[in-house]
Amino acid sequence: MVRKTNHCWSKWRKNSTRKLLDLQGRKLATLLDSPHGTDVPEIDLSPYPSGTYLVKINFERGVSVVRKVVKR
């Protein structure tokens, strides 16, 4: 599990679309809300090999945020 706690995740909301992408921009998964009811997402990267991934959040106002996540 990867927990990201910096400022960019403070805008994580239920009315957004969240995707896990590889570095070529291919969609690997759609991310669900945190099972613990917090605003900070938990991302399960266990099915994927070590490497760098992108998390893209599209907000309903048309704004999107992309952040890198590294699995070691």
Side-chain angles (χ1 to χ4, degrees):
M1 297 280 187
V2 174
R3 285 184 70 87
K4 192 82 169 167
T5 57
N6 69 14
H7 178 68
C8 74
W9 296 110
S10 65
K11 295 182 180 180
W12 182 274
R13 297 285 181 257
K14 290 184 179 180
N15 293 333
S16 61
T17 304
R18 300 159 306 266
K19 298 176 184 174
L20 179 66
L21 310 169
D22 64 13
L23 287 179
Q24 288 74 38
R26 293 180 294 230
K27 180 179 162 186
L28 301 174
T30 298
L31 304 175
L32 304 175
D33 292 335
S34 172
H36 304 294
T38 63
D39 286 340
V40 179
E42 288 188 8
I43 303 166
D44 183 9
L45 294 177
S46 61
Y48 305 103
S50 297
T52 303
Y53 298 90
L54 302 173
V55 175
K56 183 175 184 180
I57 304 172
N58 292 315
F59 298 99
E60 55 186 20
R61 294 176 297 185
V63 177
S64 63
V65 175
V66 178
R67 293 292 182 258
K68 287 193 288 186
V69 176
V70 178
K71 178 182 178 187
R72 296 178 185 213

